[in-house]
Amino acid sequence: MIRRFFGSLSLCCALLCFLAGCAVNPVTGRNELAFYQMSESQEIEIGRKVFPQAVQQMQGEYSDPALQEYLQQVGLRLAAVGHRPGLPYAFTVVNDSSPNAFALPGGRIAITRGLLGALENEAQLAAVLGHEIGHVTARHAAQGMQRGILLELGMVVLSQAATGSPYGTLTTQAGQMAGAIIDSSYSREQEREADRLGIDYMVKARYNPKGAIELQEYFLKKSEGEGAPGWLAGLFRTHPFSRERMQANEAYIRGRYPGALQDPASSVGKEKFAEATRNIQATRGAYEKYDRARDLEKKGDAAGALDLYEQACREAPEQALLNSGLGQALVQAKKYSEARDYLQKAINLDGNFYGSRTALGYLFLKTGEHQEAVQQLKRAMDLYPTLGGAFYLAEAYENVHEPRKAFDLYRQVAAADRNGRLGRAAAQRAQDLALRYGIR
Ligand code: ZN
């Protein structure tokens, strides 16, 4: 009787697995129900496609090759002792001020300049990266309803990319997906599991696991002291902290790895970390001004923002993003010749941030340098397709007498933004072009 019950239960499970998709969890070795079944090569492909978009949304890469190299070293030291050492892991510092970190399926992992600036040693960094690697090895992204739907959307993105349309569809699905993945939270149980896996990987890689406790202590103190300030919001939403979680981690370390906290051979890496993050500390004040400028801009105080952008740029003149911010504010103020210098400098320092390219392309539209406008806006759209970028590029195509290309792009903007101001303007322009040139 009992055997029959279990027999039919496992049959039922098998059927459910067949319908909903089942995957062997690389960490637990158990079959599990996944809302969207995905092969390892699909995981890798989604990460590869979506990651560049996510980086653009997080203010681009932080340009500091020595720091990027250091991060990669620490990350790989942990990944090598994890459950899926064969994945093509890649670790990137993104230039966002809010403290955050995220992992995409397949092993693409990012940490913000803001979080790196708040840490004190390499063991704490290893705690962050170990936790993110844990989300990857346990395939947390493929579990859970919300993320399952996201990843299904990811497969749609992949299949569309294969059709070869120049910017995919202009709805920027890869971009939307990147945003949704960065923002969506894991379940409490997934957070616990990633914490434990991160600690396991730290100990195996000979890091002192006290980094994991310090990390949570720091953020807990921050959240209690300052009442969940805005700059913590992202991290709290994606990886919620609690005193209980911190205590659970400490108990796990003491129970599973007695003596690890006092092991003199395990590394904390205070000096090495301070050396690697030197530039972040040196430019901290300048970026604080930049962030305040962006706040003022949102509140409509353009003059106050411009003043702060100028101060930030004077303080750290070799930071691409600060030049970009000042250049964009000058474009807003219609000071085109000044703006051009800063945007050009931003692009020379880092040519892979869409914001600088879009702003310079727009500037060239205004100054009547049409070929240059096409060139910059095309590059911006390759980096990160936006509706605004597409609209300006279409306008630039009109100016260099390529009405067919302009028409196609306006149509894409109109389709993607049917009821918006930009979409309606694009529809009107497409119609005008059709009449004038007989395009259908
Ligand atoms: Zn997490």
Side-chain angles (χ1 to χ4, degrees):
M1 181 68 184
I2 287 174
R3 183 180 289 165
R4 209 168 65 201
F5 174 74
F6 278 109
S8 59
L9 188 69
S10 66
L11 183 74
C12 174
C13 261
L15 185 68
L16 205 61
C17 277
F18 175 72
L19 291 174
C22 226
V24 177
N25 188 300
V27 168
T28 60
R30 281 197 301 267
N31 264 329
E32 65 189 17
L33 206 59
F35 286 94
Y36 196 78
Q37 193 165 16
M38 186 182 299
S39 71
E40 185 166 297
S41 63
Q42 285 171 323
E43 276 185 80
I44 294 169
E45 183 66 3
I46 283 197
R48 200 180 63 77
K49 276 262 157 55
V50 174
F51 192 71
Q53 311 271 315
V55 169
Q56 295 293 329
Q57 287 183 9
M58 304 293 278
Q59 317 296 317
E61 264 189 38
Y62 181 67
S63 19
D64 182 340
L67 176 62
Q68 297 281 3
E69 174 61 33
Y70 169 77
L71 181 76
Q72 185 77 0
Q73 267 174 27
V74 176
L76 290 180
R77 179 169 157 187
L78 293 155
V81 298
H83 288 87
R84 303 171 76 188
L87 288 175
Y89 288 95
F91 300 84
T92 305
V93 185
V94 290
N95 206 355
D96 199 274
S97 295
S98 64
N100 211 343
F102 62 91
L104 291 182
R108 304 267 169 156
I109 290 170
I111 181 169
T112 59
R113 168 177 47 76
L115 181 50
L116 270 172
L119 302 179
E120 294 164 327
N121 59 50
E122 191 172 305
Q124 292 175 3
L125 171 61
V128 173
L129 299 181
H131 175 97
E132 295 301 330
I133 292 169
H135 281 311
V136 172
T137 56
R139 296 169 59 106
H140 286 162
Q143 300 165 17
M145 182 66 106
Q146 193 191 1
R147 282 172 180 265
I149 290 168
L150 280 177
L151 293 175
E152 196 161 350
L153 182 65
M155 298 313 291
V156 175
V157 173
L158 293 189
S159 65
Q160 277 173 348
T163 63
S165 134
Y167 302 113
T169 54
L170 249 190
T171 47
T172 67
Q173 276 166 337
Q176 283 175 1
M177 189 183 151
I181 284 187
I182 297 169
D183 239 28
S184 77
S185 57
Y186 295 100
S187 74
R188 242 164 64 174
E189 197 30 60
Q190 288 177 328
E191 284 302 309
R192 291 265 158 75
E193 188 175 40
D195 278 348
R196 289 192 295 264
L197 288 169
I199 289 164
D200 292 345
Y201 302 159
M202 284 179 81
V203 173
K204 273 195 192 154
R206 309 286 316 198
Y207 280 111
N208 193 315
K210 88 173 164 203
I213 302 174
E214 287 171 0
L215 181 72
Q216 302 221 334
E217 261 172 359
Y218 172 80
F219 283 114
L220 210 56
K221 219 184 285 167
K222 273 271 172 195
S223 70
E224 284 172 351
E226 296 163 32
W231 69 277
L232 280 174
L235 195 63
F236 270 90
R237 199 166 50 241
T238 50
H239 307 274
F241 294 101
S242 67
R243 181 160 300 279
E244 187 202 355
R245 182 176 156 194
M246 185 182 79
Q247 286 162 347
N249 286 341
E250 186 160 357
Y252 178 74
I253 293 170
R254 292 190 190 281
R256 176 121 193 212
Y257 304 106
L261 291 170
Q262 284 83 34
D263 181 2
S266 67
S267 58
V268 175
K270 199 171 164 114
E271 288 79 26
K272 237 167 94 190
F273 183 81
E275 171 64 19
T277 54
R278 197 179 60 218
N279 289 339
I280 289 184
Q281 298 304 346
T283 56
R284 179 195 288 271
Y287 274 103
E288 273 168 16
K289 294 195 174 77
Y290 170 85
D291 292 332
R292 268 167 42 215
R294 286 182 28 126
D295 280 347
L296 285 185
E297 219 164 34
K298 275 182 213 141
K299 287 176 190 151
D301 180 0
L306 189 59
D307 186 44
L308 273 172
Y309 279 126
E310 268 165 357
Q311 289 180 39
C313 218
R314 257 201 309 274
E315 225 173 287
E318 298 308 310
Q319 292 293 308
L321 191 63
L322 303 184
N323 283 281
S324 184
L326 178 53
Q328 291 180 48
L330 287 165
V331 168
Q332 291 292 323
K334 298 192 166 59
K335 296 181 175 171
Y336 295 131
S337 73
E338 263 184 276
R340 177 200 298 250
D341 292 342
Y342 288 105
L343 291 172
Q344 201 68 65
K345 184 167 178 188
I347 291 168
N348 291 342
L349 289 166
D350 173 13
N352 293 319
F353 180 49
Y354 85 101
S356 314
R357 299 269 184 192
T358 307
L360 188 59
Y362 175 82
L363 184 154
F364 284 141
L365 267 184
K366 295 294 162 191
T367 55
E369 292 156 277
H370 302 312
Q371 289 296 350
E372 288 80 358
V374 169
Q375 199 191 340
Q376 292 299 335
L377 290 164
K378 256 170 90 172
R379 184 80 184 99
M381 287 289 288
D382 286 341
L383 289 165
Y384 188 67
T386 60
L387 287 175
F391 190 92
Y392 299 140
L393 179 55
E395 199 172 309
Y397 276 137
E398 268 196 82
N399 293 337
V400 296
H401 310 294
E402 299 211 50
R404 176 86 237 180
K405 284 183 178 167
F407 174 81
D408 287 344
L409 261 181
Y410 280 136
R411 283 271 295 260
Q412 286 190 52
V413 175
D417 187 35
R418 220 170 279 282
N419 298 314
R421 197 178 52 86
L422 209 57
R424 283 201 295 263
Q428 184 60 52
R429 290 203 182 182
Q431 203 182 351
D432 293 347
L433 282 176
L435 282 173
R436 201 167 352 133
Y437 296 96
I439 303 172
R440 283 192 299 158

